[in-house]
Amino acid sequence: MDSLNLRFRYVLAFLIGAAITAAALRHAVHMYGGIPREEIRVGALMAIPAVALVIIFFRGKRQR
C-alpha cells in the first residue's frame, strides 16, 4: 500500500510539474515569439494525436 501511495505522489508531482512547464513555455512563446494564443492552441491540439500514436507504437514494440 505504501508503494502505491508513493507512486501516486510521484505521478501527481510529475503532472503538476508538466502543467507548470507547459504554461511557462506557452507564455514565453506567446510573449517573446509573437505567436498568437490561438495558433499555439491549434498546434497543441494537432500534436495530441501524433504523440498518442508514438506512445502506442513504442509500447507495442516493447511488449513483443
Side-chain angles (χ1 to χ4, degrees):
M1 191 66 168
D2 289 332
S3 66
L4 182 63
N5 288 336
L6 186 60
R7 185 177 296 170
F8 177 74
R9 286 183 185 176
Y10 282 139
V11 168
L12 186 63
F14 179 78
L15 290 175
I16 291 171
I20 291 171
T21 303
L25 286 172
R26 182 177 181 203
H27 176 75
V29 167
H30 174 63
M31 295 302 293
Y32 304 118
I35 299 174
R37 291 177 300 179
E38 293 78 19
E39 288 184 24
I40 297 171
R41 183 180 307 121
V42 169
L45 289 174
M46 288 188 330
I48 291 172
V51 170
L53 286 173
V54 168
I55 290 172
I56 290 170
F57 176 73
F58 283 119
R59 180 173 285 176
K61 259 189 153 178
R62 195 176 353 156
Q63 288 179 354
R64 291 182 193 168

